[in-house]
């Protein structure tokens, strides 16, 4: 489990494989481990990198404003530290917004873009913005565990799951509140079409938070058709990693990176 110094952060990340770089970005109340089942299945020819975001997992460093441009800047600084000039980007939930913002900021560095359970591209609705719930999730570990399981109802409750729940609960409350404030302020809308790289937008049929309508709106903004994965909730990367990769791998093949992307 390597770390790299990235500005004011010591970023912990997972790595698997070699070849074209793919950076995987996790969601709120989560960590790099949410990509472990995907990294274990990564096909030959790809180098998977999954960092812990600021305020989460084993990454060490101060808080910042946690707004989307700041999180996207952290992501590109991470790529710089590993001497990655161009890469495939994959984001889940909050991480989907991070990679979309990163692609808006530096589109020439993005080979392909894929998002799972993308949040509201026109801003988080008022009825979903619940700061009190973030406090409750932090204060009550049992409530947190139940809430996370409801989001990924078909994920196996194995040792990895229990570890991910424990790591997720250790997230700073400042990072959790920063995330919902960022998602409320983040409204790229149809400007996402300007990114101009091959995009894949995926959602889970049973997702209680990011509805199929929300997924389809993100796909519309990017100019593609949404892919709804049947029988899974918010986290196909854990619930159905083989089906998730079956969508991702042909998508990556649309653009081949010379020299491993470095």
């Amino acid at each position: 489990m390597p770390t790299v110094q990235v500005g004011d952060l010591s970023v912990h990340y997972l790595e698997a494989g070699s070849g074209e770089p793919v950076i995987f970005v996790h969601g709120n109340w989560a960590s790099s481990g949410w990509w472990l089942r995907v990294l274990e299945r990564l096909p030959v020819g790809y180098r998977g990198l999954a960092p812990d975001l600021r305020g989460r997992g084993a990454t060490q460093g101060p808080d910042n404003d946690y707004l989307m441009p700041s999180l996207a800047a952290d992501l590109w600084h991470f790529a710089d530290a590993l001497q990655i000039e161009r890469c495939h980007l994959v984001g889940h939930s909050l991480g989907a917004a991070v990679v979309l913002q990163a692609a808006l900021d530096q589109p020439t560095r993005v080979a392909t873009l894929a998002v799972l359970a993308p949040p509201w591209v026109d801003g988080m609705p008022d009825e979903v913005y619940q700061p009190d719930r973030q406090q409750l999730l932090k204060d009550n570990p049992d409530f947190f565990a139940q809430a996370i399981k409801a989001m990924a109802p078909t994920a196996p409750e194995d040792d990895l799951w229990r570890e991910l729940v424990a790591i997720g609960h250790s997230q700073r409350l400042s990072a959790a509140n920063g995330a919902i404030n960022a998602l409320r302020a983040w409204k790229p809308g149809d400007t996402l079409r300007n990114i101009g790289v091959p995009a894949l937008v995926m959602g889970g049929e049973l997702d209680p938070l990011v509805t199929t309508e929300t997924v389809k709106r993100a796909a519309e903004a990017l100019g593609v058709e949404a892919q709804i994965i049947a029988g899974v909730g918010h986290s196909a990367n854990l619930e159905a990693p083989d089906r998730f990769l079956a969508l991702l791998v042909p998508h990556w093949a649309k653009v081949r990176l010379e020299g491993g992307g470095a």
Side-chain angles (χ1 to χ4, degrees):
M1 293 184 288
T3 61
V4 63
Q5 193 64 35
V6 180
D8 61 356
L9 295 177
S10 176
V11 176
H12 165 265
Y13 63 100
L14 302 179
E15 182 171 7
S18 62
E20 299 184 25
V22 185
I23 299 180
F24 296 90
V25 184
H26 66 79
N28 196 26
W29 292 111
S31 63
S32 57
W34 285 72
W35 297 110
L36 189 58
R37 296 304 185 215
V38 174
L39 293 174
E40 290 173 343
R41 293 164 167 80
L42 206 62
V44 172
Y46 292 98
R47 177 191 181 194
L49 300 147
D52 286 335
L53 294 178
R54 184 183 293 267
R56 300 166 169 90
T59 287
Q60 300 294 317
D63 290 325
N64 65 6
D65 60 18
Y66 289 106
L67 294 177
M68 223 54 70
S70 298
L71 293 176
D74 283 346
L75 179 61
W76 284 128
H77 293 325
F78 170 72
D80 291 340
L82 296 179
Q83 298 183 316
I84 295 171
E85 177 58 33
R86 194 161 179 253
C87 60
H88 305 278
L89 290 179
V90 183
H92 174 219
S93 195
L94 171 67
V98 175
V99 300
L100 288 168
Q101 184 63 50
L104 277 171
D105 292 344
Q106 299 196 45
T108 61
R109 298 187 66 176
V110 182
T112 67
L113 184 62
V115 292
L116 172 65
W120 309 266
V121 300
D122 303 304
M124 175 185 276
D126 288 342
E127 62 269 21
V128 185
Y129 180 75
Q130 299 176 352
D132 290 347
R133 180 178 174 84
Q134 306 305 304
Q135 183 72 57
L136 183 59
L137 289 167
K138 188 63 177 175
D139 289 346
N140 190 326
D142 290 337
F143 176 72
F144 177 81
Q146 293 167 8
I148 293 297
K149 186 56 183 172
M151 295 290 287
T154 69
E157 296 187 61
D158 53 13
D159 289 343
L160 174 62
W161 175 259
R162 286 183 283 273
E163 180 182 4
L164 295 179
V165 170
I167 293 171
H169 187 256
S170 71
Q171 174 179 298
R172 296 180 203 160
L173 182 60
S174 54
N177 285 328
I180 62 171
N181 290 332
L183 290 171
R184 195 181 196 190
W186 187 68
K187 302 177 183 181
D190 293 327
T191 64
L192 292 173
R193 191 76 62 93
N194 298 334
I195 295 170
V197 304
L200 174 64
V201 178
M202 299 164 283
E205 178 189 25
L206 307 179
D207 193 330
L209 178 63
V210 178
T211 64
T212 56
E213 290 77 12
T214 301
V215 175
K216 289 177 179 177
R217 170 62 185 127
E220 176 191 40
L222 285 159
V224 299
E225 184 176 349
Q227 302 296 316
I228 304 301
I229 303 172
V232 301
H234 188 67
S235 304
N237 46 342
L238 273 179
E239 297 176 74
D242 290 313
R243 284 192 285 154
F244 180 62
L245 271 170
L247 292 171
L248 271 178
V249 175
H251 175 65
W252 293 335
K254 293 175 182 177
V255 178
R256 304 302 301 189
L257 291 172
E258 296 181 2

